[in-house]
Amino acid sequence: MRLHPFTPFLLVLATALLAVLLPAPLGPVALLVVVMLVAVATGAWRAAGAAILLSVPLWIFLLLLHGAMRGGEGWQAAVAQGARLTAIIAASLLAYRAFRPARFLDAAASRGWSSGSALLILATLQAAPRLRARAARILEAQRSRGLRVRGRPLGRIGALAPVALPLILQTLGEVDARAMALETRAVGGGRRTALENVRLRWPDHVLLAAAALAVVAAFCWRALW
Amino acid sequence: MKGLETASLGFQYGEGGPAALDGVSVALASGAVSWLTGAPGAGTSTLLLAACGLAPQYTGGVVSGSCRLLDEDPQTAEGRARLSGRVAYVSADPASQLSGIAETVVREVAFAPANLGWPRERIDLAAGAALDRMEVSHLSSRLPASLSGGEQQRVVIASMLVLSPEVWLLDEPGSALDARGRATLAAILADEARRGALVVVASEDADWLAGFADRLIVMAGGRIVRDGVPADLLADPALAVTGAGSTAVADFARALAERDPAFESGRLPVTVADALERWQ
């Protein structure tokens, strides 16, 4: 099922709103379960795993700060806050996984956005995988020069600088190279032609309507009770 | 003038650093293939970048003197905007010239025309023709980043060819190409020049360029040191002083002539066709 490129990001927004509006601690926990079920159902195991890994330090921090120090209600607050953040992280990773730059550009063109502003958003969204690929290349290059990246923790920390420094410098250089490449490809502020007719279809309508309903219901519940 | 005209063009990449370009004054007319060569650091690549305004915009540095491309000033934002889509720039590193956005080769080639707002039908026709001319139609549905360096270079050139540009600025465009790819590109550039485009190629590949370039400009230390017909300059033994290389045929003929002065008295042949005609 190919969703409209904007739909996953609107669903992330709805997840964030629901995470704040739903009654704690059961609401955020239920939301986290739903997001994880969606991840499993769509085969996004890695996204779900990455979300859990990223959330572990947050959970430790929250449990120590709220639970261990305040006890009782503190444990509930820690669980609610942890579930909120994990749900938002997992939803964001799921949206990112479904992200297709070319379709996003076509959708933006169909909406009348200038190619410049659409590419600005794209550059931001594409920064992470580019950095990861570049870091892997630098790591391999440094290893071939004898850098030890495995073994004792202190040794690993020592190996960070020879990888991080070239990564930062090369990334700065790539920004210019990328900008130059795009300028030679007539990227500017003009109106771009959409190469594909990207439209909201019934799955988009169903998902967005359900998300909107859930947000409105949660908001009403919050306002009335 | 419809072409490229520079007057005392200077360029420095860093404050107080050596001059990458040092008072370059040259006029290159449309409808011909001009070939820039020189030893590494001679300034040929910088001249191409400054000619289309990419330097100092994206490279940093300081420019002096004047430069006019198609009667526009590429050093101003307005000039570059008016030149957008009319100038093709191809670097030696094809991976850095891919958009990073298109998921297929045909979309990569269609990227620039789409940015210019061309109608879909025109884009489809032009992209198909460009892919055919660069002999990469069979790669249409492939992911550009997954191609080999040579295939990526063909795709990048097709991405410029699709625009039917008025100016071609190419920096070592044959470095990633195989012999067949270089032959295809040579034929295309010669055709583009015949169509009336200004074609400027910076390259040290004398064997490739000698076959189709109309004019040779030799640079050293950011200055133009020789300017003339390729066959004459390449046959001149004094060319070696500039650090620029000649063709294998010219080097061979020169070695033979040094051994036996009676062997060749006139201008040395510089290409295989030239040698065949002279020695048959």
Side-chain angles (χ1 to χ4, degrees):
Chain A
M1 181 173 63
R2 291 184 92 187
L3 294 174
H4 189 280
F6 295 170
T7 302
F9 293 101
L10 290 170
L11 292 176
V12 173
L13 183 66
T15 305
L17 289 171
L18 285 171
V20 176
L21 292 170
L22 287 173
L26 283 180
V29 171
L31 182 68
L32 175 59
V33 170
V34 169
V35 173
M36 286 299 176
L37 283 176
V38 170
V40 171
T42 54
W45 292 94
R46 287 186 69 182
I52 291 167
L53 270 179
L54 282 170
S55 308
V56 166
L58 291 171
W59 277 93
I60 293 170
F61 178 73
L62 289 166
L63 290 171
L64 282 175
L65 189 74
H66 292 287
M69 291 178 77
R70 285 168 54 203
E73 283 183 7
W75 291 110
Q76 288 192 0
V79 169
Q81 199 64 6
R84 279 187 190 113
L85 293 170
T86 311
I88 294 169
I89 291 170
S92 304
L93 290 177
L94 278 176
Y96 191 72
R97 182 177 172 268
F99 180 67
R100 295 287 175 273
R103 293 193 83 230
F104 179 87
L105 208 56
D106 284 337
S110 304
R111 297 266 160 184
W113 295 8
S114 74
S115 54
S117 54
L119 282 162
L120 194 68
I121 297 169
L122 271 184
T124 312
L125 290 168
Q126 287 187 303
R130 279 188 194 284
L131 271 176
R132 200 170 52 196
R134 186 171 287 278
R137 280 202 301 274
I138 291 170
L139 191 66
E140 282 307 310
Q142 301 293 51
R143 281 175 71 179
S144 72
R145 293 187 180 95
L147 181 75
R148 290 187 178 182
V149 293
R150 298 187 196 285
R152 288 177 302 173
L154 270 178
R156 291 187 186 197
I157 292 169
L160 270 177
V163 176
L165 199 65
L167 180 66
I168 294 166
L169 293 174
Q170 286 189 19
T171 304
L172 289 174
E174 194 190 276
V175 172
D176 284 336
R178 182 69 35 201
M180 197 154 87
L182 291 178
E183 173 146 347
T184 62
R185 307 293 290 282
V187 169
R191 178 78 186 264
R192 187 183 148 87
T193 302
L195 294 170
E196 185 185 342
N197 291 324
V198 184
R199 290 191 184 137
L200 285 167
R201 294 181 305 162
W202 70 264
D204 299 291
H205 288 296
V206 169
L207 285 170
L208 291 175
L213 263 176
V215 170
V216 170
F219 183 78
C220 292
W221 181 89
R222 187 87 179 206
L224 295 173
W225 283 279
Chain B
M1 178 198 170
K2 203 76 172 164
L4 171 67
E5 194 164 12
T6 68
S8 304
L9 187 66
F11 192 87
Q12 278 178 291
Y13 280 101
E15 282 290 334
L21 294 178
D22 186 7
V24 173
S25 298
V26 69
L28 302 176
S30 297
V33 177
S34 300
W35 167 23
L36 305 175
T37 194
T44 55
S45 300
T46 306
L47 181 55
L48 293 186
L49 289 169
C52 58
L54 293 175
Q57 174 79 6
Y58 296 106
T59 61
V62 185
V63 70
S64 60
S66 78
C67 177
R68 305 285 296 176
L69 183 63
L70 300 178
D71 288 330
E72 302 287 352
D73 182 356
Q75 294 299 333
T76 64
E78 298 77 29
R80 281 197 301 279
R82 280 194 287 271
L83 289 169
S84 183
R86 299 166 68 194
V87 180
Y89 174 80
V90 177
S91 77
D93 178 16
S96 71
Q97 285 214 276
L98 295 173
S99 68
I101 290 161
E103 289 173 343
T104 61
V105 163
V106 68
R107 288 292 175 86
E108 182 69 37
V109 174
F111 184 72
N115 287 331
L116 290 166
W118 288 14
R120 277 282 297 277
E121 299 73 27
R122 186 182 169 198
I123 293 175
D124 292 342
L125 277 175
L131 288 168
D132 282 343
R133 283 185 78 187
M134 278 314 293
E135 300 171 351
V136 281
S137 297
H138 62 290
L139 303 174
S140 290
S141 56
R142 292 272 303 274
L143 179 71
S146 71
L147 303 177
S148 71
E151 289 170 333
Q152 283 183 347
Q153 187 68 306
R154 283 171 179 257
V155 171
V156 166
I157 294 165
S159 304
M160 298 295 168
L161 193 58
V162 69
L163 296 168
S164 295
E166 292 167 63
V167 178
W168 283 87
L169 303 173
L170 307 104
D171 190 1
E172 294 290 359
S175 58
L177 297 175
D178 58 6
R180 184 173 167 174
R182 283 198 295 276
T184 304
L185 179 58
I188 286 173
L189 293 179
D191 277 351
E192 289 293 294
R194 271 194 293 276
R195 182 175 62 79
L198 165 68
V199 181
V200 188
V201 187
S203 177
E204 292 176 42
D205 191 344
D207 289 305
W208 179 51
L209 263 299
F212 67 98
D214 301 300
R215 179 177 171 186
L216 172 58
I217 294 167
V218 184
M219 295 183 72
R223 290 167 175 267
I224 292 175
V225 291
R226 305 292 296 274
D227 184 351
V229 177
D232 294 341
L233 292 183
L234 292 170
D236 186 351
L239 184 70
V241 179
T242 66
S246 190
T247 62
V249 171
D251 289 341
F252 178 63
R254 195 171 296 123
L256 284 177
E258 279 169 9
R259 260 192 198 183
D260 179 8
F263 166 74
E264 185 70 63
S265 55
R267 182 182 65 72
L268 295 173
V270 295
T271 63
V272 172
D274 202 5
L276 274 175
E277 195 180 306
R278 301 273 293 280
W279 294 342
Q280 217 161 23

